[in-house]
Amino acid sequence: MHKALPVLFLLFSAFPSLFATPTDTLRVTTTVCDSIAWFGEMYTHDTVAQHLVTHEGGRDTVYILTLYVNQTVYTDIYDTACLSYDTMGQTYTTSGDYELERYQTANGCDSVVMLHLTIIQPPQAHAIIGDTLVCRGQHVTFFYPTDYSPEYYWYQWYFAPSSPMGTNVSSIVWNVGDDSPSSVAVGMQVIDVQHHCVVIDTLLEVRVCEESSPAGAQIVRKSNSNILICNAVEDPSGIVHYRWGRTDKQTYEEAACDCDFNYYQYETPINTDLYLYWVETYLIHGDVICRNRTYYAQPTFSGIDSHDSFDVIACLQGNRLLIQADNPSAERIEATLYDMTGKAIAQWDLGSETSVRRQLPFQYPGGVYLLSVQAGTHRHTTKIFGQR
């Protein structure tokens, strides 16, 4: 009986699993990339973990995990582009996260290059508004209607064949001189200075005619709704016409009135917060209209703006004396012209309307005259400067 013990010991030494203890231990060592799931648990860093499993018959097994975790290497590129982005032979037109490249590193994990891209749309393009046919000596204003904040956008006018002009306003004025080219191309470029986004308008082709524009208008205004125009010089080449209008500051849409007289009354008072008011003189040369336009963006004008009960404005235009008078008392108005010696050289009966507008002949030498206008007890005297 005792001789069998050495045999059992030899069997146990050779085949230990045949004589398992109540608890077995199984050790596992491994290296992974980023993470591993082990018995329902997720591991993302180097760790030693164990898990107990009980088998049928009451035998337990302890699994011991020794884990080494290597990380995938990410190279993140953050960029912003206007409309599209070109890199590594690919073109991207929408914002998003893109994997540009992936390769294996020495630790056995991947190295990934990621592009985090934001695509910016350029600022909205507007049409350039201006004259397409201009005359020598004319001032032309080109508008680019926009309300972009100058803090984020820069405006670049293109005025070919002249050099470009960088300016942060949405309009420019071109003085068409004798040395101006016969045609130019006017364009506007808007630059998003934050994202370097650029949009160029369709160029406006402008032709310059050899005809000359009339002399610029002199504006005398007496109230917030009435305007009197005097031309600086009577143009011998044709009849000077007058045009009045206003331009909406948001849309630059124009409303205008063509007139052959020198007085105009707006239906409502001038509101320069909403509108840009302008007045122009123009001549018709065949099928070409030459004009000089002046814009008024100020709520008040320098000059006469009195509100007396008897208010008179007078000015000379060539050989015509223009008189405008408010006569609320409806009394008969008489006007007397004096030279500087005090001699009365002309007298006119202007009628008794409450609002008088007259164009009177003026055939006197150049010099300074006094015009006295009287209605009842009201009298208004002003100087008249004649040029010959």
Side-chain angles (χ1 to χ4, degrees):
M1 292 290 295
H2 297 288
K3 291 182 180 179
L5 289 175
V7 176
L8 292 174
F9 177 77
L10 291 175
L11 289 174
F12 179 79
S13 300
F15 304 98
S17 60
L18 298 178
F19 305 93
T21 61
T23 300
D24 292 334
T25 301
L26 180 62
R27 298 182 183 275
V28 178
T29 300
T30 187
T31 300
V32 299
C33 289
D34 297 324
S35 64
I36 189 173
W38 191 66
F39 288 107
E41 296 290 335
M42 184 67 67
Y43 296 94
T44 59
H45 297 88
D46 293 354
T47 187
V48 176
Q50 66 179 23
H51 185 77
L52 176 64
V53 176
T54 301
H55 305 282
E56 293 183 4
R59 184 171 55 86
D60 295 334
T61 301
V62 176
Y63 295 89
I64 298 177
L65 172 67
T66 301
L67 178 65
Y68 299 96
V69 179
N70 293 328
Q71 300 295 326
T72 298
V73 178
Y74 287 93
T75 302
D76 294 301
I77 300 174
Y78 295 87
D79 212 341
T80 302
C82 181
L83 286 177
S84 64
Y85 186 86
D86 295 321
T87 183
M88 301 180 67
Q90 295 291 326
T91 299
Y92 302 92
T93 58
T94 57
S95 300
D97 300 321
Y98 300 97
E99 181 180 316
L100 298 182
E101 192 173 7
R102 180 185 292 263
Y103 56 89
Q104 194 174 55
T105 61
N107 64 12
C109 296
D110 287 341
S111 178
V112 181
V113 179
M114 291 295 299
L115 171 65
H116 308 277
L117 180 63
T118 301
I119 294 294
I120 300 296
Q121 294 298 320
Q124 181 183 1
H126 294 276
I128 297 174
I129 299 173
D131 289 333
T132 56
L133 189 62
V134 298
C135 299
R136 300 289 177 186
Q138 180 174 341
H139 285 80
V140 184
T141 301
F142 298 100
F143 290 101
Y144 186 87
T146 174
D147 55 359
Y148 295 134
S149 169
E151 182 179 356
Y152 300 106
Y153 297 94
W154 180 258
Y155 311 118
Q156 174 83 38
W157 280 99
Y158 281 90
F159 206 45
S162 302
S163 60
M165 297 179 295
T167 175
N168 218 27
V169 297
S170 57
S171 65
I172 61 170
V173 178
W174 177 33
N175 181 14
V176 185
D178 293 336
D179 58 347
S180 298
S182 59
S183 65
V184 295
V186 180
M188 165 63 89
Q189 185 181 73
V190 183
I191 303 172
D192 181 339
V193 297
Q194 190 176 20
H195 304 112
H196 306 289
C197 237
V198 178
V199 61
I200 302 178
D201 270 343
T202 302
L203 294 179
L204 178 64
E205 297 293 334
V206 181
R207 183 165 64 92
V208 180
C209 298
E210 295 304 321
E211 290 85 353
S212 297
S213 301
Q218 296 176 347
I219 310 301
V220 184
R221 183 175 145 259
K222 71 156 195 169
S223 70
N224 209 32
S225 59
N226 299 332
I227 289 181
L228 179 68
I229 279 192
C230 293
N231 222 29
V233 179
E234 182 73 13
D235 195 306
S237 62
I239 299 176
V240 178
H241 302 270
Y242 305 93
R243 201 162 185 255
W244 330 76
R246 69 185 186 185
T247 300
D248 185 277
K249 283 189 175 182
Q250 298 298 321
T251 64
Y252 286 87
E253 181 178 354
E254 288 192 353
C257 173
D258 293 291
C259 314
D260 287 329
F261 49 86
N262 307 82
Y263 173 84
Y264 186 77
Q265 181 167 344
Y266 289 105
E267 296 179 358
T268 57
I270 294 175
N271 185 345
T272 52
D273 292 333
L274 299 177
Y275 302 103
L276 189 69
Y277 284 80
W278 54 266
V279 62
E280 69 184 18
T281 57
Y282 67 92
L283 287 171
I284 301 176
H285 298 277
D287 61 345
V288 178
I289 297 178
C290 299
R291 61 174 63 89
N292 259 328
R293 178 179 290 194
T294 304
Y295 285 89
Y296 294 92
Q298 305 301 321
T300 59
F301 290 76
S302 60
I304 301 173
D305 193 11
S306 59
H307 298 280
D308 298 333
S309 58
F310 183 61
D311 187 20
V312 178
I313 297 177
C315 69
L316 276 176
Q317 178 180 300
N319 59 359
R320 292 179 297 172
L321 174 61
L322 309 180
I323 300 178
Q324 172 187 314
D326 280 348
N327 182 28
S329 61
E331 297 184 83
R332 182 162 295 279
I333 301 178
E334 293 184 348
T336 305
L337 185 68
Y338 299 90
D339 62 20
M340 293 307 294
T341 67
K343 178 183 176 181
I345 58 176
Q347 189 171 15
W348 299 281
D349 185 344
L350 304 182
S352 57
E353 295 95 335
T354 57
S355 181
V356 173
R357 293 182 288 278
R358 295 288 187 271
Q359 297 187 23
L360 305 172
F362 192 90
Q363 304 290 343
Y364 302 99
V368 180
Y369 299 86
L370 294 177
L371 178 68
S372 177
V373 182
Q374 183 170 353
T377 59
H378 299 288
R379 180 184 293 273
H380 184 96
T381 302
T382 185
K383 288 183 180 180
I384 298 296
F385 297 91
Q387 296 180 352
R388 285 292 184 269

